[in-house]
Amino acid sequence: MRFVAMMPAVAIVLAACETMAPQPFDIAKFDSLKPGVTTKWEAVQILGEPTSRGSSLNDHTTLMYEYTGAQRDLTVAVLFDPDEKFVRYRMYGIDR
C-alpha cells in the first residue's frame, strides 16, 4: 500500500527530470541568430537555457551549450557584446 501511495510522487519527479533533459543539438537554431540584431534574451528563447554563462574583462558575455552524443561531445560558445547583441558562435567537439 505504501508503494502505491508513493507512485504519484515518483511520476512527478520523473516528469521533472524529463523536462530538464538537454535539448538535441540543432545547428539551424544557432544559424538563426543575427549578428548585431539578436539580443541575449532572444537567443535564450531560441536556444533554451545555457549550460553555463561567463563574462570577459571587456564586458562581453558568453553562453555555453553542451551536448552529449553517442560518438561526440559538443560545446557551443555563443558570444554577446556589451549591449547584449549577438556577435558569433563557435563549436568545439570532442570525439569519444
mmCIF file of all heavy atoms in Angstrom, residues 1-10:
data_model
loop_
_atom_site.group_PDB
_atom_site.id
_atom_site.type_symbol
_atom_site.label_atom_id
_atom_site.label_comp_id
_atom_site.label_asym_id
_atom_site.label_seq_id
_atom_site.Cartn_x
_atom_site.Cartn_y
_atom_site.Cartn_z
ATOM 1 N N MET A 1 0.822 -1.202 0.000
ATOM 2 C CA MET A 1 0.000 0.000 0.000
ATOM 3 C C MET A 1 0.865 1.264 0.000
ATOM 4 O O MET A 1 0.547 2.227 -0.693
ATOM 5 C CB MET A 1 -0.942 -0.045 1.210
ATOM 6 C CG MET A 1 -1.922 1.079 1.241
ATOM 7 S SD MET A 1 -3.057 0.922 -0.140
ATOM 8 C CE MET A 1 -4.358 1.899 0.412
ATOM 9 N N ARG A 2 1.944 1.229 0.765
ATOM 10 C CA ARG A 2 2.830 2.383 0.823
ATOM 11 C C ARG A 2 3.428 2.664 -0.558
ATOM 12 O O ARG A 2 3.570 3.796 -0.967
ATOM 13 C CB ARG A 2 3.942 2.128 1.831
ATOM 14 C CG ARG A 2 4.823 3.330 2.033
ATOM 15 C CD ARG A 2 5.963 3.077 2.966
ATOM 16 N NE ARG A 2 5.479 2.868 4.322
ATOM 17 C CZ ARG A 2 6.200 2.368 5.301
ATOM 18 N NH1 ARG A 2 7.433 1.976 5.078
ATOM 19 N NH2 ARG A 2 5.710 2.239 6.506
ATOM 20 N N PHE A 3 3.775 1.619 -1.313
ATOM 21 C CA PHE A 3 4.335 1.759 -2.657
ATOM 22 C C PHE A 3 3.352 2.466 -3.584
ATOM 23 O O PHE A 3 3.722 3.365 -4.322
ATOM 24 C CB PHE A 3 4.714 0.382 -3.212
ATOM 25 C CG PHE A 3 5.202 0.440 -4.622
ATOM 26 C CD1 PHE A 3 6.462 0.917 -4.917
ATOM 27 C CD2 PHE A 3 4.384 0.032 -5.667
ATOM 28 C CE1 PHE A 3 6.918 0.984 -6.210
ATOM 29 C CE2 PHE A 3 4.829 0.097 -6.972
ATOM 30 C CZ PHE A 3 6.097 0.570 -7.237
ATOM 31 N N VAL A 4 2.090 2.076 -3.523
ATOM 32 C CA VAL A 4 1.064 2.679 -4.376
ATOM 33 C C VAL A 4 0.893 4.159 -4.027
ATOM 34 O O VAL A 4 0.726 4.990 -4.913
ATOM 35 C CB VAL A 4 -0.276 1.908 -4.242
ATOM 36 C CG1 VAL A 4 -1.380 2.616 -4.990
ATOM 37 C CG2 VAL A 4 -0.107 0.485 -4.739
ATOM 38 N N ALA A 5 0.985 4.505 -2.771
ATOM 39 C CA ALA A 5 0.831 5.896 -2.347
ATOM 40 C C ALA A 5 1.986 6.766 -2.843
ATOM 41 O O ALA A 5 1.823 7.956 -3.085
ATOM 42 C CB ALA A 5 0.734 5.978 -0.828
ATOM 43 N N MET A 6 3.170 6.175 -3.038
ATOM 44 C CA MET A 6 4.338 6.928 -3.478
ATOM 45 C C MET A 6 4.390 7.107 -4.992
ATOM 46 O O MET A 6 5.127 7.941 -5.490
ATOM 47 C CB MET A 6 5.625 6.229 -3.021
ATOM 48 C CG MET A 6 5.843 6.304 -1.525
ATOM 49 S SD MET A 6 7.343 5.458 -1.026
ATOM 50 C CE MET A 6 8.570 6.219 -2.039
ATOM 51 N N MET A 7 3.605 6.361 -5.729
ATOM 52 C CA MET A 7 3.679 6.406 -7.188
ATOM 53 C C MET A 7 3.440 7.795 -7.778
ATOM 54 O O MET A 7 4.164 8.200 -8.683
ATOM 55 C CB MET A 7 2.758 5.360 -7.801
ATOM 56 C CG MET A 7 3.319 3.959 -7.635
ATOM 57 S SD MET A 7 2.325 2.719 -8.421
ATOM 58 C CE MET A 7 2.619 3.066 -10.124
ATOM 59 N N PRO A 8 2.472 8.576 -7.295
ATOM 60 C CA PRO A 8 2.297 9.924 -7.866
ATOM 61 C C PRO A 8 3.528 10.800 -7.665
ATOM 62 O O PRO A 8 3.908 11.556 -8.552
ATOM 63 C CB PRO A 8 1.094 10.491 -7.117
ATOM 64 C CG PRO A 8 0.329 9.291 -6.665
ATOM 65 C CD PRO A 8 1.374 8.243 -6.377
ATOM 66 N N ALA A 9 4.178 10.697 -6.505
ATOM 67 C CA ALA A 9 5.386 11.481 -6.249
ATOM 68 C C ALA A 9 6.512 11.063 -7.186
ATOM 69 O O ALA A 9 7.240 11.906 -7.716
ATOM 70 C CB ALA A 9 5.824 11.327 -4.797
ATOM 71 N N VAL A 10 6.668 9.781 -7.423
ATOM 72 C CA VAL A 10 7.691 9.286 -8.331
ATOM 73 C C VAL A 10 7.407 9.783 -9.750
ATOM 74 O O VAL A 10 8.320 10.202 -10.467
ATOM 75 C CB VAL A 10 7.765 7.746 -8.282
ATOM 76 C CG1 VAL A 10 8.655 7.211 -9.380
ATOM 77 C CG2 VAL A 10 8.266 7.288 -6.924
#
